[in-house]
Amino acid sequence: FLDSGAYSAWSKKVGISLQEYINFIQAHPEAFTVYAGLDVIGDPGKTWENQQEMERQGLHPLPCYHYGEDPMWLKRYLGRHDYIALGGLVPISTPDCRSWLDRVFSDFLVDQKGQPRVKVHGFGMTVVELMLRYPWYSVDSTSWVLTGRFGSCYIPLNGKIHKVCFSDKSPNIREAGKHFRTHSRLEQKAIERYLTEKKFTPKELAEQYQKRDELNIIFFLDLEKNWKTQPFRREQM
């Protein structure tokens, strides 16, 4: 899956050459199963133009519809593609993101039974609550690795997913229920059972970000393996 890098370019205020991007894809035809269109955040018309030009040059990029854009652009893509992406979600708060996704999925992306009409990719989407709420086909983001670098791991606890901090360098060590040490003893034992099952210890997670990365990878692999796509219906809104 090749990401165009449009969000990074937008956040750093640098440009990406459409033709260079096209040339790169054409030079490596066997390297990618999916490659994203070169979207322009804040300019859906230019995103559409780029999509058209890539298609004119014989490519089949994944089109992207962004948070807050006029639904007319989404309708255009839905009439032409069976796999689309939703983007522009990274800086949006989870409640606002959920509200927007509820409308987009219910109005355009699922049928009356809540089943997806097309395959949907979520750019910057690994908020577990939102991953499980909608019938995504695929998602991606860097938050899983940032979680580890800030000292925490995803831990199933009491039927919910928690971010438990292990690093002693984190300010979370002083907040009740945020750091492994400040969880109740009963919760600590439950966390330790999970860590033992996955062959990790609190000490190595506290000291090595690589171990935190490994455990977070395992968490998402387990989530994918046990994934059961649920229909999304309007009454969930």
Side-chain angles (χ1 to χ4, degrees), residues 166 168 180 195 200-208 212:
F166 291 92
D168 291 339
F180 173 71
L195 298 184
F200 292 87
T201 67
K203 185 177 186 297
E204 64 187 0
L205 294 175
E207 297 174 349
Q208 303 176 54
R212 297 192 293 269

Side-chain angles (χ1 to χ4, degrees), residues 17-68:
S17 164
L18 175 61
Q19 192 57 53
E20 287 182 9
Y21 183 50
I22 291 172
N23 294 344
F24 180 79
I25 296 170
Q26 290 176 333
H28 304 88
E30 277 120 40
F32 312 109
T33 304
V34 180
Y35 44 86
L38 182 56
D39 50 322
V40 181
I41 297 173
D43 191 342
K46 186 61 178 176
T47 298
W48 172 259
E49 290 178 13
N50 287 351
Q51 182 78 19
Q52 297 292 95
E53 179 60 22
M54 293 180 74
E55 292 177 5
R56 189 188 69 77
Q57 296 196 40
L59 300 180
H60 303 282
L62 180 70
C64 187
Y65 172 66
H66 297 91
Y67 178 92

Side-chain angles (χ1 to χ4, degrees), residues 79-92:
R80 299 161 56 91
H81 300 272
D82 61 2
Y83 189 12
I84 67 163
L86 301 180
L89 305 174
V90 172
I92 310 303

Side-chain angles (χ1 to χ4, degrees), residues 74 77-86 105 108-111 115-121 135-137:
L74 177 58
Y77 294 128
L78 289 175
R80 299 161 56 91
H81 300 272
D82 61 2
Y83 189 12
I84 67 163
L86 301 180
F105 270 92
F108 302 104
L109 300 181
V110 298
D111 60 23
Q115 298 295 336
R117 299 178 186 274
V118 294
K119 296 185 289 188
V120 183
H121 179 80
W136 303 102
Y137 180 78

Side-chain angles (χ1 to χ4, degrees), residues 177-201:
K178 292 286 187 178
H179 194 279
F180 173 71
R181 292 186 181 181
T182 63
H183 277 275
S184 69
R185 186 56 194 145
L186 192 63
E187 290 172 332
Q188 287 179 356
K189 288 182 177 180
I191 294 169
E192 287 171 339
R193 283 195 295 272
Y194 176 75
L195 298 184
T196 299
E197 176 190 339
K198 302 303 179 184
K199 298 180 171 56
F200 292 87
T201 67

